[in-house]
Amino acid sequence: MIELKGGKTAPRLLEDLDNYDPRRPSIVGCNLLINLPRQHEDDELPTTISRHKNQCRHQWDLKDNQCHLPLIIGRPDPKEVSSVAAFCKHCRCHLKLSIDFPSGGASPCPSEEFPLHHFVYRAEESDPRIKSAVSAKIDPHVDWEELLSFQCSTTECSAKLRIHMRSPHLRPEWIDLLTNKGLIKSRAEKAMSEDPARFEGHAVPLPSEVLSNLRTYIWNALREDNRRTISAHNKRWLLCLGDACAELLRYIGFVREDDSWLVPPADTSAAVPITNPINVLLEDVEKELLALLLQRPDDEKRASKVQYGLTSASQYLAKALGTENYDRNPSSRTYTSLEEEHPFYPTLGAKLDFRDDLIKFAYERQMMSDPEGTPYYLQALQGIAAGRNSEDLQTSVAIEASSGKVSANDIRKAYRALGLVLGSDYLDDDHIIGTFQSRAADSPRQEPDLRRALQIVGQHRSSQSIQSMASKTITNLEQALSWLGATDDMDDHFVVAMYKVKEDENPAEEATARHAVSLIAQHRNSGALKQWLETGVLGEVEMDVGQAYNRLQIDDRTIDDSFVLATFELNYQEAPSQADDLRSALRAIAKDRKSSLLNNFLNRNMATANYPLAEWPVGLRNIGNTCYLNSLLQFYFTIKPFRELVLDFDAHKRDATTNKITETTIGSRIVSKQEIQRAQKFVCELQKLFQAMITSPTVFVEPELELARLTLLSQPAEADIRRSSTISGNRPSLGEINGRPVIGPLALPMSNIAENTTNSDSRAPENGIESSEPTLLGNDPAEEGIDLEMPDLIPEQPIERSQKQPIVDDKENLPPSEASTELSNASEAVLSPLLEAPPSQTVEQRPSTETDHKPLDLHEPNNTKDAVIEPPSRPPPYPPRPQPEENKDKIIRQEIQMGAQQDVTEVISNVLYQLECAIEATSFDPSGEQVDQIKDMFFGKSKSHTQNLRGGLETKEQFFSYLFVDVASGPKTIYEALDGAFDVQQVQVDGTFQPQYSAISQLPPVLNILVQRAQYDQKQSSAFKSVNHLELEETIYMDRYIDSEDKDLIQRRAESWDWKRQLRQLEARREDLTQSELKMDASELLDTTAGCLEELSKEDDLDVTAGLQEAIREAAMESKEELDSINKLIKNLTTRIRSQFVDRRKFPYRLQSAFIHRGTASSGHYWIYIRDFKQDLWREYNDETVAIVTDTSQIFDEDKSPGKPATPYFLVYVRDDLKDELVDPVCRDIPEEPETQTAVMNDAPDHFGEAYGAPVQDGQGTTAVSGTWFEADHVKPQRW
């Protein structure tokens, strides 16, 4: 039995509002405002959401100063927000009903088409119950409070209704102080006894006088400009209130100062409707006192001369909801309670006095808003039509039945006719069909009735197979499989076998059986079945999954999909002629695994077949663990200004010979000449690739190894790798002299080396830049063109170093090694001669201390200075030869593999840094930092604001090229992740913690967002990848992060930060209540404990304290209630946080690229999705393949595949107003008669222009994109 989720018409909702008393829930435990009556069987008594016997039927009166009342005459104005604030004169609870039209609304209800509002409850925007200990922390005087949100379901109306109800402010004990005659007499007589003469002639006040006096004080406070002072010895004050009421007075806002009481500080100039909390509180309490006065006996009211004026809120509530003039049934009688209505009326969200046309309107709206409840709504319509004996409604019921709809009664009768129990767990389609066939065989005459019942059951279950059986027709795959008795995982052989079984059983059904096979063949696109239908001979059948794994030579069936794909590609490269067979094997594995990755790969050729090469981007060949590099290069190519800058590099190239190079500052560091030369080489290599991507007649091109090296490795990283290789590598032996090996080639003679190491300051560093890493060889060998590795001359059995230093990503956090200590102290060491070693081995030259071997003294008598040197026993070795080309490639590949270990941020920073080094500056900022096209394109500025010890704000502004977000703590939305970069946090300032927050002072046109996935497990001492889902938005609005003096924005941030603080506290408390070693929450643990005690109490020799079980169960109940309240509060706070800035949409950014990673923290595969705004589509760039994304859920939805799900790693958003100027994914210009070319670019000439000509322009030179971003407040606009 499903829960009905329909809405309510406005009259129904207003009726329920009058009868809804949150203090006393309904007998059946439902919320009268948001729930519909429970479904019932025919033989059950109808059930309404019954009222409690002491439930209040409200009479609402206005709180005038808190209202923005709708006009009584005329239609509602969609531009106005109407609000009606009221209080109940009986129970004193408070109500605020507001209705607005946030989207304007083309034709607000009531209208000719939609005569009434139909409100549907919005749980995500509501907080249906706040109470208990949790709410006590917020306001200890709030017994209950509810915020309910509703939305009109009609298509032309955008009305949003909010109902806010809360308990009275005056608590029972305070009311007792004000109305209990005994307490009033006691404090009055006490005051009189303390000063009899002063109070002579005064009588004990009546409760009505006490209430009236306090109301007068509040009334005056709301209307008098000057804040009055009331003497604590005032006779009327002492007789009526006095210190006994101090707690109540302070709650209202009275303040005690010495011997006086200051009245509450109301804002008498506040405009209506008032929002000032103290004014709202005072008016609420004044109205509650008035309600208490009205409840006093008439004699008291007459004696106190109570005067009051109340305005009923009923007509204003009706006007706000558009219910004042709806068509009523003239034959309906007046009713006063819900019990007089049949529950079918509230089920439809209707009322007893509705005319038939409004009943039909209510039914149609319920169906539209809650399709799953249609059977019961139809049953309600049937019941009302029968009860009213309405021909019009009965005609509507017949029309609904003819359209295939069935009522809940019909469904129950159908199940009973088949002997089935509705809702039973054992029911499935096969069981139902089998039951039908059995009963039809036993009672052939009843087959039509049984078939009709089966048809209804099939409609109820949305089962094609059951409906097919009932109608004897086959129209889709599910019906075809069901009719044949087959399943989708059965191969084509079995399908043909089942066809023959059906044909043998009943030859008259041959045509139906062939039609079923035809549908299966079409769905599977099975050539084998299609051939069988045409010729009667089954064609080649799909490969078995076991054969598929064997065909691809895969032994381990648990490997990741990406490795299956890599194995397929290796097999394809070895045997391209067997592509069809290999694809069949991959298809079988993809089907067995239900792998979206493999299926997407298989479908790519079909997806791109309709696009010629000239209109489609090229892929990039993976040259060895470079999938991330390929994704990065594809992204940069699609950014049009970036691509044009690279292609027209000569126009922007920096003059590397100028004497002003040392004055260039990029990233707060001075750039060296070597860095500029290396950077310009990188841009030239990138230029070659981009031109090849434009002109290549093939579907993919291959990046050069040198480009990969320059992209993945920064100059410092490259120097570290080569220096490590040079120092630790073993040097080749050139033979022996007098038994001592000669190691070569050496960079400098021994004496010069020793001199250089002891006089480290004898040569000034080039460009005045100190080398941060000392070396025994002086200049960097790589800079001098000297390669000391010489892999072609390395002996077969080199001596290993005493300690090898592994290459790691986190080098800066490692302690210094022995080797590095030796190097850093090289100037203090004494260099020794080469030690003796066998001719076949090499010995590393190293510094030694005084305790090591003594230096060789050529003047000692026992030396061999004067001896005749015997010739060597063998000829000298050949001198070193230039390295073969393949060895150079091998070295570069090794460096690329080391570069692939660099962090993503290092690679991106390296690309942008080299681009900036390579081009001329367009200007310089006040700090001397270079400003150029790259900075204008990818860099923004952020300001951090830190509160100092004096209470002021210290501000620091700096460039940023990407925003860093974290999802380690759990799944997040993109805004929740971004909030972490800008929210207020505590930082240490001079030994104390002070608040600090960040904001963006200048937004970049291209906004990069890095998602931190790599995490470190302290317990396991190992890295792991966080796979928590990041919920992406196609459009994000950066307004909330802008550095601004907008007071509203600042206030919203502060509120959001406070809500998040509360949310963290609630989540921490929820964790305390739910986490335990036994995997049970606190209430479950307590219940279990009580159960154990109950069992133990049955033992004769164990005495259990009386009442202990009940106390524990009560604690369990309290714990459960607290947990439920916390969950609701968390939901409410989350909703508030997420909706806090929804109307701030001045700075939209569109998602342009999403880098995706599948794997672990140390391995895996990257690819990228890139948006083509002009063609309004997404493409997947996966190394050599570029394919259309037919289902964007693979980008935006969570990948729930087991093992290693695909997760976004790096995101790129672009300014929405510049997206067409910034993004241009397809840039192709294939020559009509190209010369012999190859997709591999290794043979491309050094000079870009000689091979490909000048860069392609649009006839007016390179496109210059310019625009101004925001200019609000004090933020400087950025032009680029």
Side-chain angles (χ1 to χ4, degrees):
M1 187 175 294
I2 65 171
E3 177 186 357
L4 298 178
K5 299 179 181 178
K8 298 185 178 187
T9 61
R12 174 82 262 164
L13 186 63
L14 196 55
E15 173 75 17
D16 290 344
L17 184 62
D18 289 342
N19 291 282
Y20 177 55
D21 189 348
R23 301 172 305 164
R24 298 176 176 89
S26 67
I27 298 172
V28 294
C30 295
N31 186 312
L32 181 61
L33 282 181
I34 64 179
N35 296 124
L36 298 176
R38 182 178 63 86
Q39 300 181 47
H40 65 274
E41 304 273 350
D42 289 339
D43 51 358
E44 289 182 335
L45 291 175
T47 303
T48 61
I49 303 180
S50 304
R51 293 172 55 195
H52 193 280
K53 63 179 180 179
N54 294 323
Q55 184 172 323
C56 177
R57 181 169 175 85
H58 305 299
Q59 290 188 23
W60 302 110
D61 289 297
L62 288 180
K63 297 188 290 185
D64 308 77
N65 293 326
Q66 299 179 40
C67 296
H68 187 278
L69 297 174
L71 296 176
I72 294 298
I73 301 175
R75 287 179 52 76
D77 185 355
K79 298 179 181 178
E80 292 289 335
V81 178
S82 299
S83 60
V84 181
F87 72 100
C88 177
K89 65 174 64 176
H90 299 309
C91 68
R92 296 176 290 107
C93 71
H94 296 271
L95 165 72
K96 185 167 186 179
L97 181 148
S98 60
I99 184 168
D100 66 339
F101 303 85
S103 302
S107 180
C109 300
S111 64
E112 184 175 347
E113 183 179 2
F114 302 108
L116 293 171
H117 285 296
H118 180 260
F119 289 111
V120 178
Y121 176 61
R122 294 295 182 218
E124 67 277 6
E125 301 174 9
S126 303
D127 196 344
R129 192 75 182 196
I130 307 175
K131 63 176 186 178
S132 77
V134 177
S135 62
K137 297 176 183 177
I138 301 173
D139 185 347
H141 303 292
V142 174
D143 286 332
W144 55 265
E145 185 174 6
E146 292 193 351
L147 177 63
L148 306 177
S149 182
F150 300 84
Q151 179 80 44
C152 183
S153 70
T154 61
T155 55
E156 299 297 325
C157 181
S158 62
K160 179 173 286 188
L161 174 68
R162 294 179 179 85
I163 298 176
H164 185 195
M165 298 182 69
R166 63 152 292 160
S167 61
H169 292 278
L170 298 178
R171 300 179 65 80
E173 59 267 26
W174 293 344
I175 295 174
D176 201 34
L177 282 173
L178 300 176
T179 60
N180 186 308
K181 292 183 177 181
L183 294 177
I184 296 173
K185 180 180 179 181
S186 175
R187 63 176 178 263
E189 289 179 346
K190 179 182 178 184
M192 293 176 182
S193 65
E194 291 176 353
D195 194 349
R198 185 164 179 256
F199 287 96
E200 185 177 356
H202 286 75
V204 174
L206 295 170
S208 58
E209 293 179 272
V210 176
L211 294 170
S212 181
N213 284 331
L214 179 56
R215 178 171 174 257
T216 301
Y217 289 130
I218 295 174
W219 178 274
N220 293 333
L222 284 168
R223 287 159 179 79
E224 295 178 352
D225 293 336
N226 297 324
R227 190 176 182 187
R228 293 182 55 193
T229 300
I230 303 171
S231 171
H233 302 292
N234 181 287
K235 288 186 289 183
R236 186 171 63 172
W237 179 272
L238 284 173
L239 291 175
C240 293
L241 301 170
D243 291 340
C245 299
E247 182 185 8
L248 164 62
L249 295 170
R250 290 192 178 95
Y251 172 74
I252 297 173
F254 288 86
V255 177
R256 178 69 180 263
E257 287 189 354
D258 300 328
D259 288 339
S260 301
W261 285 88
L262 287 175
V263 299
D267 182 4
T268 57
S269 63
V272 175
I274 58 174
T275 57
N276 185 312
I278 186 64
N279 286 40
V280 172
L281 172 63
L282 289 175
E283 186 177 23
D284 285 356
V285 174
E286 186 263 325
K287 296 300 183 184
E288 290 183 33
L289 292 171
L290 181 56
L292 291 171
L293 275 168
L294 296 176
Q295 295 170 13
R296 301 306 302 169
D298 291 340
D299 57 340
E300 271 193 38
K301 289 187 284 187
R302 284 193 298 270
S304 302
K305 299 180 181 180
V306 174
Q307 297 181 357
Y308 59 89
L310 292 176
T311 303
S312 173
S314 299
Q315 62 175 333
Y316 295 100
L317 291 170
K319 181 61 181 178
L321 297 186
T323 67
E324 71 277 17
N325 294 317
Y326 70 87
D327 290 336
R328 290 172 171 82
N329 186 359
S331 62
S332 65
R333 59 188 178 85
T334 304
Y335 58 96
T336 59
S337 64
L338 284 175
E339 283 76 14
E340 296 184 13
E341 279 187 312
H342 192 283
F344 284 154
Y345 285 100
T347 294
L348 293 183
K351 287 183 63 178
L352 180 65
D353 64 355
F354 275 16
R355 294 175 67 98
D356 288 354
D357 57 340
L358 288 183
I359 295 290
K360 289 190 289 184
F361 168 77
Y363 165 73
E364 291 167 358
R365 298 318 307 165
Q366 294 293 66
M367 273 202 314
M368 293 295 294
S369 57
D370 182 21
E372 291 186 5
T374 296
Y376 196 69
Y377 299 133
L378 181 56
Q379 178 181 336
L381 184 64
Q382 286 176 338
I384 294 173
R388 289 189 171 193
N389 195 23
S390 167
E391 183 177 345
D392 188 19
L393 292 181
Q394 289 174 350
T395 301
S396 297
V397 170
I399 293 174
E400 292 297 283
S402 66
S403 66
K405 295 185 178 68
V406 290
S407 70
N409 274 340
D410 294 335
I411 292 172
R412 284 189 286 269
K413 290 176 182 177
Y415 275 87
R416 289 170 185 166
L418 293 172
L420 302 172
V421 179
L422 178 61
S424 299
D425 294 336
Y426 65 85
L427 288 182
D428 57 27
D429 289 0
D430 291 339
H431 180 86
I432 293 171
I433 291 173
T435 301
F436 160 75
Q437 292 173 334
S438 175
R439 289 198 167 228
D442 292 342
S443 305
R445 293 183 179 181
Q446 297 180 5
E447 181 177 348
D449 294 334
L450 293 171
R451 196 171 293 279
R452 170 58 184 160
L454 185 66
Q455 182 71 31
I456 293 174
V457 172
Q459 291 176 2
H460 173 245
R461 297 174 64 90
S462 299
S463 169
Q464 293 292 338
S465 59
I466 293 178
Q467 293 182 59
S468 173
M469 177 60 67
S471 61
K472 292 186 176 181
T473 59
I474 301 174
T475 59
N476 55 41
L477 174 68
E478 187 174 313
Q479 292 175 351
L481 291 170
S482 175
W483 193 88
L484 287 175
T487 59
D488 198 24
D489 58 351
M490 294 179 178
D491 63 22
D492 293 348
H493 285 295
F494 193 88
V495 171
V496 173
M498 294 306 296
Y499 163 85
K500 293 179 179 178
V501 169
K502 286 288 185 180
E503 186 183 32
D504 292 341
E505 288 178 351
N506 189 354
E509 293 183 337
E510 179 188 1
T512 304
R514 288 185 64 83
H515 179 59
V517 175
S518 176
L519 287 174
I520 296 171
Q522 291 175 17
H523 175 77
R524 295 183 176 181
N525 195 22
S526 169
L529 287 179
K530 291 177 181 178
Q531 181 178 331
W532 178 83
L533 288 167
E534 294 175 0
T535 66
V537 177
L538 189 64
E540 183 180 354
V541 180
E542 182 180 292
M543 188 178 296
D544 176 77
V545 66
Q547 297 173 336
Y549 278 107
N550 291 334
R551 180 64 186 84
L552 294 181
Q553 303 176 24
I554 297 175
D555 297 327
D556 182 5
R557 298 193 182 187
T558 64
I559 63 174
D560 190 78
D561 289 351
S562 58
F563 291 103
V564 172
L565 193 57
T567 306
F568 165 83
E569 291 175 338
L570 287 174
N571 280 273
Y572 173 75
Q573 292 171 11
E574 293 176 358
S577 61
Q578 301 178 17
D580 290 342
D581 193 38
L582 293 171
R583 289 179 68 85
S584 296
L586 187 63
R587 184 176 291 106
I589 295 174
K591 182 176 179 180
D592 178 66
R593 292 182 171 217
K594 298 180 180 178
S595 167
S596 58
L597 175 66
L598 300 181
N599 281 319
N600 287 340
F601 175 81
L602 289 164
N603 293 331
R604 279 175 194 150
N605 288 346
M606 296 175 60
T608 60
N610 295 326
Y611 293 90
L613 285 175
E615 300 175 11
W616 198 253
V618 297
L620 294 178
R621 184 71 175 269
N622 191 322
I623 56 177
N625 293 333
T626 58
C627 51
Y628 174 73
L629 170 68
N630 288 346
S631 298
L632 190 64
L633 294 174
Q634 290 282 19
F635 155 63
Y636 283 127
F637 181 81
T638 64
I639 302 300
K640 185 177 180 181
F642 184 95
R643 185 177 67 227
E644 291 178 343
L645 174 66
V646 172
L647 294 175
D648 196 21
F649 175 50
D650 290 341
H652 306 279
K653 187 175 182 180
R654 186 193 301 275
D655 185 358
T657 62
T658 179
N659 294 326
K660 296 183 179 181
I661 289 178
T662 55
E663 301 175 6
T664 301
T665 302
I666 300 175
S668 302
R669 52 182 273 211
I670 297 176
V671 181
S672 68
K673 180 178 179 180
Q674 288 80 5
E675 285 180 306
I676 293 174
Q677 292 171 340
R678 185 184 193 274
Q680 292 180 346
K681 181 180 179 183
F682 161 72
V683 179
C684 289
E685 294 293 333
L686 187 59
Q687 189 184 61
K688 294 178 186 179
L689 175 67
F690 280 7
Q691 190 63 31
M693 293 171 72
I694 295 171
T695 61
S696 173
T698 60
V699 294
F700 65 84
V701 298
E702 181 174 319
E704 288 192 6
L705 293 174
E706 183 65 8
L707 173 61
R709 184 180 69 85
L710 293 171
T711 305
L712 294 172
L713 281 177
S714 64
Q715 187 180 32
E718 179 185 350
D720 286 345
I721 291 173
R722 293 195 173 185
R723 184 176 296 110
S724 174
S725 174
T726 301
I727 294 175
S728 63
N730 297 308
R731 307 249 293 286
S733 172
L734 300 182
E736 297 179 355
I737 297 179
N738 292 334
R740 298 184 182 276
V742 177
I743 307 299
L746 297 178
L748 295 173
M750 288 293 295
S751 58
N752 290 345
I753 294 177
E755 182 180 354
N756 286 346
T757 55
T758 55
N759 299 284
S760 58
D761 296 330
S762 61
R763 185 178 66 86
E766 187 174 7
N767 296 329
I769 302 174
E770 287 283 349
S771 172
S772 60
E773 302 185 23
T775 172
L776 292 177
L777 300 178
N779 294 340
D780 189 342
E783 295 180 7
E784 300 295 333
I786 302 172
D787 193 330
L788 300 184
E789 293 185 84
M790 301 186 68
D792 54 328
L793 297 179
I794 294 178
E796 294 180 0
Q797 296 180 337
I799 296 178
E800 299 293 329
R801 293 192 63 186
S802 60
Q803 181 179 3
K804 288 189 175 181
Q805 298 300 316
I807 297 176
V808 295
D809 289 336
D810 197 18
K811 297 181 283 293
E812 66 272 18
N813 294 325
L814 292 177
S817 64
E818 295 179 7
S820 62
T821 305
E822 291 177 1
L823 287 176
S824 63
N825 298 325
S827 59
E828 301 176 4
V830 179
L831 294 177
S832 66
L834 301 174
L835 304 180
E836 295 183 3
S840 62
Q841 295 179 333
T842 61
V843 180
E844 178 186 4
Q845 179 179 331
R846 62 178 179 85
S848 63
T849 60
E850 295 178 358
T851 58
D852 281 336
H853 297 281
K854 292 179 61 180
L856 180 62
D857 190 351
L858 299 180
H859 298 286
E860 289 186 4
N862 60 349
N863 210 314
T864 58
K865 179 180 179 181
D866 299 327
V868 178
I869 300 176
E870 297 293 333
S873 59
R874 59 179 181 176
Y878 290 107
R881 292 176 173 82
Q883 295 185 31
E885 195 70 27
E886 56 269 20
N887 285 331
K888 289 184 179 180
D889 284 354
K890 179 179 178 182
I891 295 171
I892 293 177
R893 288 184 184 276
Q894 291 173 347
E895 292 182 348
I896 290 173
Q897 294 304 311
M898 295 176 181
Q901 301 175 25
Q902 301 298 308
D903 186 78
V904 172
T905 57
E906 294 176 342
V907 177
I908 294 175
S909 299
N910 181 44
V911 171
L912 299 182
Y913 178 76
Q914 290 190 97
L915 260 294
E916 289 194 89
C917 289
I919 62 177
E920 289 284 2
T922 56
S923 63
F924 296 89
D925 75 354
S927 67
E929 177 75 12
Q930 171 175 311
V931 178
D932 47 49
Q933 294 96 320
I934 297 300
K935 271 217 171 52
D936 290 342
M937 206 181 310
F938 296 101
F939 284 74
K941 285 186 178 180
S942 66
K943 285 185 179 179
S944 61
H945 301 277
T946 309
Q947 183 174 310
N948 56 34
L949 297 178
R950 299 182 299 278
L953 282 181
E954 295 182 358
T955 300
K956 179 181 179 182
E957 186 175 47
Q958 60 186 3
F959 283 104
F960 69 88
S961 59
Y962 61 86
L963 298 178
F964 184 90
V965 301
D966 191 1
V967 292
S969 59
K972 294 181 180 179
T973 66
I974 184 65
Y975 286 116
E976 289 169 344
L978 284 170
D979 287 350
F982 297 100
D983 280 352
V984 67
Q985 56 183 328
Q986 296 294 318
V987 298
Q988 196 165 16
V989 179
D990 297 333
T992 63
F993 285 94
Q994 299 293 334
Q996 179 189 79
Y997 73 93
S998 298
I1000 297 176
S1001 56
Q1002 182 174 285
L1003 279 164
V1006 181
L1007 178 66
N1008 295 331
I1009 300 175
L1010 173 67
V1011 185
Q1012 175 62 24
R1013 293 286 181 185
Q1015 305 292 332
Y1016 189 77
D1017 188 337
Q1018 298 286 353
K1019 295 182 179 180
Q1020 301 293 330
S1021 297
S1022 63
F1024 69 95
K1025 175 189 172 184
S1026 170
V1027 296
N1028 289 323
H1029 179 54
L1030 179 62
E1031 183 180 329
L1032 304 182
E1033 296 283 349
E1034 196 154 353
T1035 304
I1036 61 174
Y1037 299 89
M1038 299 300 292
D1039 304 60
R1040 66 189 69 184
Y1041 307 116
I1042 298 301
D1043 188 57
S1044 171
E1045 295 179 358
D1046 183 342
K1047 292 182 180 180
D1048 178 65
L1049 179 61
I1050 294 172
Q1051 177 64 27
R1052 291 195 196 192
R1053 280 182 184 152
E1055 290 175 349
S1056 178
W1057 294 338
D1058 184 57
W1059 292 338
K1060 290 174 184 176
R1061 178 187 57 77
Q1062 296 178 40
L1063 189 62
R1064 289 191 294 269
Q1065 293 174 351
L1066 289 170
E1067 288 173 339
R1069 176 58 179 161
R1070 180 170 67 179
E1071 185 175 351
D1072 292 340
L1073 292 173
T1074 56
Q1075 292 194 357
S1076 68
E1077 294 181 359
L1078 298 178
K1079 306 298 183 183
M1080 292 188 290
D1081 63 34
S1083 63
E1084 293 171 335
L1085 283 171
L1086 290 168
D1087 271 334
T1088 303
T1089 303
C1092 291
L1093 285 175
E1094 184 176 356
E1095 293 296 324
L1096 292 173
S1097 64
K1098 298 176 182 178
E1099 302 291 335
D1100 296 336
D1101 57 345
L1102 184 63
D1103 183 21
V1104 178
T1105 304
L1108 180 58
Q1109 297 174 44
E1110 290 74 13
I1112 293 176
R1113 292 197 186 277
E1114 184 176 351
M1117 181 62 68
E1118 291 177 356
S1119 175
K1120 186 177 185 305
E1121 289 179 354
E1122 181 183 4
L1123 184 58
D1124 290 342
S1125 297
I1126 287 175
N1127 287 331
K1128 292 175 182 177
L1129 274 175
I1130 288 175
K1131 182 178 180 180
N1132 180 48
L1133 284 172
T1134 302
T1135 301
R1136 291 182 183 178
I1137 293 168
R1138 292 183 177 180
S1139 60
Q1140 180 74 336
F1141 301 96
V1142 291
D1143 58 333
R1144 292 275 182 162
R1145 298 193 168 197
K1146 187 178 177 182
F1147 305 117
Y1149 274 71
R1150 299 286 294 276
L1151 182 61
Q1152 186 264 341
S1153 295
F1155 291 68
I1156 307 296
H1157 177 263
R1158 183 192 298 275
T1160 66
S1162 58
S1163 64
H1165 180 63
Y1166 284 96
W1167 66 94
I1168 185 173
Y1169 297 108
I1170 297 179
R1171 178 69 185 274
D1172 188 330
F1173 294 105
K1174 294 178 181 178
Q1175 298 189 29
D1176 192 23
L1177 56 83
W1178 284 89
R1179 295 185 183 90
E1180 177 186 345
Y1181 296 70
N1182 197 328
D1183 288 337
E1184 296 91 339
T1185 306
V1186 181
I1188 291 178
V1189 177
T1190 57
D1191 181 7
T1192 56
S1193 64
Q1194 59 189 290
I1195 305 173
F1196 294 96
D1197 292 356
E1198 182 178 6
D1199 181 6
K1200 296 184 179 180
S1201 58
K1204 307 180 183 81
T1207 53
Y1209 202 98
F1210 192 80
L1211 308 170
V1212 181
Y1213 282 86
V1214 297
R1215 277 176 49 176
D1216 181 60
D1217 61 326
L1218 294 176
K1219 61 182 183 298
D1220 292 331
E1221 301 172 54
L1222 288 169
V1223 182
D1224 183 28
V1226 181
C1227 181
R1228 302 283 272 135
D1229 186 12
I1230 303 174
E1232 293 183 2
E1233 296 181 358
E1235 298 178 2
T1236 304
Q1237 297 184 30
T1238 175
V1240 181
M1241 294 177 57
N1242 292 336
D1243 297 329
D1246 294 335
H1247 299 289
F1248 173 74
E1250 294 179 6
Y1252 301 101
V1256 178
Q1257 298 185 346
D1258 59 1
Q1260 299 178 349
T1262 304
T1263 302
V1265 182
S1266 65
T1268 302
W1269 201 212
F1270 58 87
E1271 302 181 10
D1273 303 318
H1274 59 285
V1275 182
K1276 295 181 179 179
Q1278 176 186 4
R1279 298 185 180 274
W1280 62 284

